[in-house]
Amino acid sequence: MEFPPLWLCLGFHFLIVEWRSGPGTATAASQGGCKVVDGVADCRGLNLASVPSSLPPHSRMLILDANPLKDLWNHSLQAYPRLENLSLHSCHLDRISHYAFREQGHLRNLVLADNRLSENYKESAAALHTLLGLRRLDLSGNSL
C-alpha cells in the first residue's frame, strides 16, 4: 500500500480546518498573542505588564485575566471606546487611576475580582464612580 506524501496530507488538513472555521472568523492580534474573534479580545495569562494597544478599536469585550498589570493608567483603555465587557480578574491590580475609564461610556460589565484594590481604594473608587452605565461590578477577593 502506498501512502501520500506528508506535505500533501498536511496541506489537505489545513484546507479542511480553514473551510470549517470560515475565512476570517478567528485572527490573532499582533501584540502579545491575544486571540480576537467577533469583537472579543482574549488576552488571558499572557504575562502582559500593560493593556495591549494594538487590538481592534471596535472590540466589545476585553479579557485580561491572570496578567501582572499592577496598575490601570488613565490611557490604558483609551484605544477601546466601545468596550461593553472588561475582565481584569487576578491581575495583581493595586491601583486604578482616576480617569482610567474616561472613554468607557459603553462599559456594562466589569470584573475586578482577586486583585489588591484595597491598597489604593480611594483612587480606584473615584475611577469606578465615573462608570454611570455599569450594570455588573465584581470586586470580590479585594479585601475591601
Side-chain angles (χ1 to χ4, degrees), residues 101-133:
F101 301 116
R102 176 179 267 176
E103 305 295 326
Q104 300 306 313
H106 298 286
L107 197 61
R108 302 293 176 254
N109 300 300
L110 178 58
V111 177
L112 293 167
D114 297 324
N115 284 292
R116 299 184 291 232
L117 294 177
S118 61
E119 294 180 25
N120 293 292
Y121 71 92
K122 288 183 180 180
E123 188 174 7
S124 298
L128 294 172
H129 188 68
T130 65
L131 292 170
L132 302 178

Side-chain angles (χ1 to χ4, degrees), residues 8-140:
L8 183 61
C9 292
L10 288 175
F12 182 71
H13 171 75
F14 289 119
L15 179 66
I16 294 297
V17 168
E18 176 67 21
W19 176 76
R20 280 187 186 162
S21 60
T25 55
T27 58
S30 60
Q31 182 177 353
C34 300
K35 294 176 184 150
V36 179
V37 179
D38 294 330
V40 177
D42 188 347
C43 303
R44 266 181 268 226
L46 297 176
N47 205 29
L48 300 174
S50 63
V51 176
S53 59
S54 63
L55 299 172
H58 62 275
S59 297
R60 293 182 323 275
M61 178 182 281
L62 180 55
I63 305 168
L64 290 163
D65 300 350
N67 282 295
L69 298 179
K70 209 163 165 8
D71 298 295
L72 195 62
W73 300 109
N74 290 338
H75 63 278
S76 295
L77 299 169
Q78 215 169 19
Y80 312 111
R82 294 186 179 155
L83 281 181
E84 296 173 11
N85 301 285
L86 176 61
S87 185
L88 295 158
H89 185 273
S90 299
C91 288
H92 310 284
L93 283 175
D94 56 24
R95 172 177 290 138
I96 299 175
S97 295
H98 186 84
Y99 298 109
F101 301 116
R102 176 179 267 176
E103 305 295 326
Q104 300 306 313
H106 298 286
L107 197 61
R108 302 293 176 254
N109 300 300
L110 178 58
V111 177
L112 293 167
D114 297 324
N115 284 292
R116 299 184 291 232
L117 294 177
S118 61
E119 294 180 25
N120 293 292
Y121 71 92
K122 288 183 180 180
E123 188 174 7
S124 298
L128 294 172
H129 188 68
T130 65
L131 292 170
L132 302 178
L134 199 62
R135 293 184 189 144
R136 182 177 174 269
L137 174 62
D138 183 352
L139 289 169
S140 61

